[in-house]
Amino acid sequence: MTTSSSERGVSLGMPALPAPAYPDDVRTRLEADAREIIARYPDSRSALLPLLHLVQSEEGHVTRTGMQFCADVLGLTTAEVTAVATFYTMYRRKPSGDYQVGVCTNTLCAVMGGDAIFSELQEHLGVGNGETTDDGKVTLEHIECNAACDFAPVVMVNWEFFDNQTPDTAKRLVDDLRAGRAVEPTRGAPMCTFKETARILAGFPDERPGAVEASGGAGPASLVGLRLARGEAAPARVVHPREGAPQDRDAAAPDRDVHEPSPTQHLSSHDAPQDTSASDPAHPAGPAAEEGE
């Protein structure tokens, strides 16, 4: 004997209605932008990623209307567009805040305090992962590695870096964002809204005065290996020597540069010595046991 879908507790529901169209003036403007983006690529399909950023800049997230627009201008099916939009986490699928606050909780950031920052921000803002504050200002989420391990723990706001954060500094950061006070990233361009960021990611220039010139790159601790590989300088010390520590290497190379950051330089969290068995001569690690012992 067969059972109906309703008897099995399955609700098929009504088919989704077609996505509503953009207003004529909005569609005309977006079509002009889309033509500029598509012209950059030999195959129009390659323009899908920046086009998704473009429609995200219109409403703050990728709507069904935005995906239908991308499908129309590229000659794709909505299924093909949806498959891409749902794969990449930078595309939001629901309304979100003016400021996307992401706390890195990958391995190094987590052990350096990222988990504590994320937990306290959830309580401070009264939201869970991927949720937005009632005022529509801040969306909080935990994110994976941002390639800034030298400055762990890292918080990003609309993809701009805020390095070496603590629970207190992170709470002040979100409070300032919600209050409309100016905040400055550790590295990178001045802050702008998520919609403005999405348009820049679509490939359009940042037209704010001085924004491009203010953009920064990796910090000094991140560039030591690159400078060494190029043969530009001797390796800088990241962890300062302790009193009484062996100085043989320094004695053998008296002219070796020692990393002494200026007070204005943004330090890596690893510039401070860590009292661990691996790094503290007063608490040396014992010899590794041989297999079978």
Side-chain angles (χ1 to χ4, degrees), residues 1-176:
M1 185 177 72
T2 61
T3 58
S4 66
S5 60
S6 59
E7 290 173 328
R8 293 194 301 269
V10 177
S11 176
L12 300 179
M14 293 293 292
L17 295 174
Y22 284 124
D24 290 342
D25 61 329
V26 174
R27 186 176 181 91
T28 299
R29 172 167 47 80
L30 291 178
E31 284 177 343
D33 289 339
R35 286 194 294 271
E36 183 176 340
I37 293 172
I38 294 170
R40 302 170 188 159
Y41 298 92
D43 183 346
S44 63
R45 187 188 185 103
S46 300
L48 178 54
L49 295 181
L51 280 177
L52 286 169
H53 284 299
L54 175 66
V55 298
Q56 184 159 252
S57 74
E58 188 64 31
E59 299 176 86
H61 66 294
V62 177
T63 63
R64 292 175 56 234
T65 299
M67 287 190 282
Q68 183 66 63
F69 173 83
C70 292
D72 291 343
V73 298
L74 294 176
L76 302 175
T77 66
T78 54
E80 290 173 308
V81 175
T82 301
V84 174
T86 56
F87 181 82
Y88 293 101
T89 59
M90 290 180 73
Y91 301 123
R92 310 304 186 195
R93 297 298 311 283
K94 62 182 181 180
S96 56
D98 293 334
Y99 300 100
Q100 307 283 320
V101 176
V103 182
C104 183
T105 56
N106 213 327
T107 307
L108 185 57
C109 277
V111 300
M112 295 294 290
D115 283 342
I117 290 173
F118 184 65
S119 178
E120 293 208 23
L121 283 182
Q122 287 188 97
E123 182 177 355
H124 183 67
L125 296 172
V127 298
N129 182 42
E131 295 180 353
T132 303
T133 54
D134 292 339
D135 58 9
K137 293 292 186 181
V138 170
T139 297
L140 178 67
E141 63 176 347
H142 75 81
I143 49 181
E144 294 302 319
C145 183
N146 286 299
C149 302
D150 294 309
F151 304 98
V154 171
V155 173
M156 297 196 83
V157 180
N158 294 351
W159 312 117
E160 299 293 354
F161 285 104
F162 290 81
D163 299 327
N164 295 322
Q165 292 294 294
T166 67
D168 288 339
T169 61
K171 285 186 285 189
R172 286 198 298 272
L173 171 61
V174 296
D175 287 345
D176 287 343

